[in-house]
């Protein structure tokens, strides 16, 4: 199986994409995809898609992991503390798996000849984004839902029988059908951009401003706002305010929330080398450089896909490595991050107070 997997890692996504990106829809295809998602093993290690992308949320929480018996199919292979090991403390504490990310040709790991970075990452939800989001995986390395499914079956389930193109199209169709937020379903059907909840309490209404007050575009003083990175219909792209403050193009999908920089969630820092076109080499030490491993550009270091935050209250833990186990830990991190921008970067007023945290949390419960 290792030889097969090694071959897969060297295959061109671009070539496979032309074969597997056929967009077939229909109720029968969705129904077939649901069955494959829940039950297909393809002569693998017993895991299915649903082993990790669970029924209720399409994701996997720490609480769910710890309800499983030790003989469950989840506890093997990349769930182990080291790949293929026999202890499982990391997955029980953080619900993360070891993911093998092929390095861009410009990237190497100092002191290692490996062309793959092995990194702990969480399980993102497949609900509410598959139909509307062309960016797949936290580092954006999969060009289609079909290829993401194939990569998961090969990497996590260790399959020895390849799924057909029809199998992959069916699973992709089912994932696209999993819209659990009514406002997003209406957006798909009508194109009407979802309106954020108004809030009924003063705290919720104050919290709403962090998702709608795109300063300084509207003339208000500069302050850290959720809308800067959670804008648009999916609440998953950068805004005009972020462009005005940081010069980030509107609609940017990858950004650093300083998870790797602050070593949130632990991890082992390693030094990664980036070779530029002129032959010069720059380095960065990080627990997970994220998007930069895919693009080969050091400017992308520590940036990850901005996820939708519709229904986020139900999909803890958060960030690419599950570094925040709940909404309180999430907001504690953002307070540290926003205050860093205020004091170290030097943007007055950007910080987040304890009252801000409480207001944002109250509003997140409405999304």
């Amino acid at each position: 199986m290792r030889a097969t997997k090694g071959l897969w890692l060297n295959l061109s996504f671009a070539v496979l994409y032309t074969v597997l990106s056929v967009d077939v829809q229909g109720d029968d295809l969705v129904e077939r995809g649901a069955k494959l998602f829940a039950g297909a093993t393809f002569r693998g290690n017993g895991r299915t898609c649903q082993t990790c992308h669970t029924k209720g949320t399409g994701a996997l929480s720490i609480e769910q992991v710890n309800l499983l018996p030790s003989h469950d199919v989840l506890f093997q292979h990349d769930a182990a503390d080291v790949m293929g090991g026999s202890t499982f403390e990391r997955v029980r504490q953080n619900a993360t798996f070891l993911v093998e990310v092929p390095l861009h040709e410009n990237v190497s790991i100092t002191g290692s000849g490996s062309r793959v970075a092995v990194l702990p990452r969480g399980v993102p939800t497949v609900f509410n984004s598959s139909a509307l989001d062309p960016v797949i995986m936290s580092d954006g390395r999969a060009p289609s839902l079909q290829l993401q499914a194939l990569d998961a079956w090969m990497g996590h389930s260790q399959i020895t029988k390849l799924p057909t193109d029809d199998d992959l199209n069916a699973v992709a169709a089912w994932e696209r059908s999993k819209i659990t937020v009514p406002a997003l379903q209406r957006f798909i059907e009508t194109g009407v951009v979802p309106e954020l909840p108004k809030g009924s309490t003063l705290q919720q209404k104050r919290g709403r401003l962090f998702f709608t007050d795109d300063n300084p575009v509207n003339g208000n003083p500069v302050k850290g706002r959720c809308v800067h990175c959670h804008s648009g219909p999916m609440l998953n792209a950068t805004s005009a305010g972020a462009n005005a403050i940081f010069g980030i193009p509107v609609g940017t999908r990858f950004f650093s929330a300083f998870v790797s920089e602050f070593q949130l969630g632990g991890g082992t820092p390693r030094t990664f080398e980036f070779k530029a076109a002129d032959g010069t080499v720059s380095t960065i030490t990080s627990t997970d450089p994220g998007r930069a491993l895919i693009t080969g550009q050091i400017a992308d270091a520590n940036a990850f896909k901005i996820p939708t935050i519709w229904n986020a209250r139900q999909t803890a833990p958060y960030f690419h490595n599950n570094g925040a186990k709940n909404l309180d830990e999430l907001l504690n991190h953002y307070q540290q991050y926003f205050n860093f921008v205020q004091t170290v970067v030097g943007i007055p007023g950007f910080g987040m107070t304890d009252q801000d945290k409480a207001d944002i949390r109250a509003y997140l419960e409405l999304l």
Side-chain angles (χ1 to χ4, degrees):
M1 186 61 212
R2 297 299 300 174
T4 303
K5 188 172 184 180
L7 175 63
W8 162 247
L9 290 174
N10 290 317
L11 287 173
S12 164
F13 270 135
V15 172
L16 283 174
Y17 180 65
T18 63
V19 177
L20 301 177
S21 63
V22 180
D23 186 14
V24 182
Q25 293 293 334
D27 293 341
D28 290 344
L29 194 69
V30 170
E31 183 178 346
R32 181 184 176 196
K35 291 177 181 177
L36 289 168
F37 194 90
T41 61
F42 295 107
R43 300 176 189 164
N45 58 24
R47 288 179 182 167
T48 70
C49 303
Q50 197 166 278
T51 300
C52 299
H53 297 282
T54 56
K55 281 185 177 181
T57 64
L60 182 70
S61 70
I62 297 166
E63 292 75 16
Q64 287 173 316
V65 171
N66 284 288
L67 287 174
L68 297 173
S70 58
H71 61 269
D72 190 89
V73 294
L74 183 143
F75 296 107
Q76 57 179 311
H77 182 41
D78 51 8
D81 297 330
V82 295
M83 190 72 81
S86 58
T87 59
F88 301 90
E89 289 306 307
R90 187 199 64 260
V91 73
R92 288 192 181 280
Q93 292 176 5
N94 300 323
T96 56
F97 296 80
L98 296 177
V99 176
E100 293 182 317
V101 179
L103 301 177
H104 189 278
E105 61 182 6
N106 297 346
V107 183
S108 59
I109 303 172
T110 300
S112 172
S114 177
R115 298 306 304 155
V116 172
V118 180
L119 302 161
R121 294 198 177 162
V123 179
T125 181
V126 296
F127 294 175
N128 296 314
S129 61
S130 297
L132 294 166
D133 192 349
V135 178
I136 303 168
M137 312 290 283
S138 61
D139 55 19
R141 69 184 185 275
S144 69
L145 288 171
Q146 289 92 332
L147 283 173
Q148 188 280 323
L150 179 59
D151 189 36
W153 271 323
M154 302 250 339
H156 300 303
S157 301
Q158 299 176 287
I159 61 173
T160 58
K161 176 186 175 183
L162 287 175
T164 67
D165 293 357
D166 287 343
D167 293 334
L168 295 167
N169 287 324
V171 166
W174 182 81
E175 290 186 13
R176 291 190 189 101
S177 75
K178 293 303 292 182
I179 304 296
T180 64
V181 176
L184 291 179
Q185 186 61 48
R186 287 193 296 272
F187 176 60
I188 291 173
E189 295 169 354
T190 67
V192 176
V193 175
E195 183 179 0
L196 294 179
K198 297 293 187 183
S200 57
T201 68
L202 288 176
Q203 189 170 61
Q204 289 169 346
K205 291 176 181 179
R206 289 194 304 266
R208 187 178 190 270
L209 289 176
F210 285 87
F211 295 88
T212 59
D213 181 17
D214 195 14
N215 64 353
V217 171
N218 54 18
N220 288 338
V222 171
K223 185 174 180 62
R225 295 292 192 190
C226 306
V227 68
H228 291 159
C229 286
H230 293 287
S231 182
M234 291 289 292
L235 307 180
N236 66 352
T238 57
S239 69
N243 175 260
I245 297 170
F246 300 111
I248 303 165
V250 175
T252 295
R253 293 302 318 284
F254 295 95
F255 195 70
S256 174
F258 271 52
V259 174
S260 293
E261 289 89 336
F262 290 166
Q263 296 185 25
L264 182 68
T268 303
R270 286 173 289 179
T271 300
F272 295 83
E273 301 176 3
F274 291 79
K275 188 175 183 179
D278 62 3
T280 59
V281 175
S282 302
T283 64
I284 187 168
T285 299
S286 174
T287 55
D288 189 338
R291 181 66 175 162
L293 299 182
I294 310 305
T295 66
Q297 301 297 314
I298 197 168
D300 293 328
N302 303 325
F304 291 88
K305 169 185 171 180
I306 300 171
T308 180
I309 51 174
W310 285 109
N311 210 37
R313 70 190 186 281
Q314 296 184 358
T315 55
Y318 305 103
F319 298 125
H320 67 275
N321 64 349
N322 292 346
K325 293 180 172 59
N326 51 51
L327 288 176
D328 291 325
E329 290 190 10
L330 175 81
L331 291 169
N332 285 341
H333 171 74
Y334 274 110
Q335 183 178 47
Q336 181 187 8
Y337 175 36
F338 282 21
N339 289 348
F340 175 88
V341 172
Q342 175 175 275
T343 59
V344 179
V345 178
I347 301 181
F350 201 87
M352 181 185 290
T353 68
D354 288 344
Q355 183 64 63
D356 294 337
K357 281 198 307 182
D359 295 343
I360 293 168
R361 195 191 193 292
Y363 193 72
L364 282 170
E365 295 286 352
L366 301 178
L367 294 176

